[in-house]
Amino acid sequence: MPTYVSLLNWTDQGIRNYKDTAKRAEAFGAAVEKVGAKLLNIYWTVGPYDLVAVVEGPDDETATAALLQIGGVGNVRTTTLRAFGREEMDRIVGKAAG
């Protein structure tokens, strides 16, 4: 399944409610599963981003729906990257070298 790395920053609302961040992460994981994706992991980070979420979904549409849910609550803003595993990259390189 395709993997997506999402870089998250707290909004003003999110930082005001920082004490609930672990509960919000758990709720996000449950919401992601309802749309057919899976939250593989979430990390709280120091630096330009407050959190990093790794999500797996069957396609871009499902992953986007999952990430729209988290953004729609208003606690974070997301920047999402499509990540390719080694096997996927081998296939891509094979096509390019073709």
Side-chain angles (χ1 to χ4, degrees):
M1 241 194 289
T3 303
Y4 304 85
V5 176
S6 192
L7 309 171
L8 299 93
N9 279 316
W10 280 329
T11 61
D12 289 342
Q13 173 183 308
I15 194 67
R16 276 193 307 272
N17 299 314
Y18 71 91
K19 291 179 183 179
D20 296 331
T21 188
K23 280 195 282 185
R24 291 194 315 247
E26 191 174 306
F28 172 54
V32 164
E33 287 191 19
K34 284 184 182 177
V35 298
K38 182 177 180 183
L39 178 62
L40 297 180
N41 217 327
I42 191 161
Y43 302 95
W44 287 261
T45 57
V46 176
Y49 297 97
D50 298 312
L51 303 104
V52 176
V54 182
V55 174
E56 223 176 41
D59 51 50
D60 290 346
E61 292 84 5
T62 303
T64 301
L67 293 162
L68 280 172
Q69 285 187 334
I70 191 175
V73 175
N75 291 309
V76 294
R77 290 198 183 4
T78 64
T79 300
T80 303
L81 310 163
R82 169 64 165 90
F84 297 93
R86 182 185 174 105
E87 288 179 11
E88 290 172 301
M89 199 61 212
D90 285 342
R91 287 192 303 271
I92 292 167
V93 169
K95 287 181 182 184

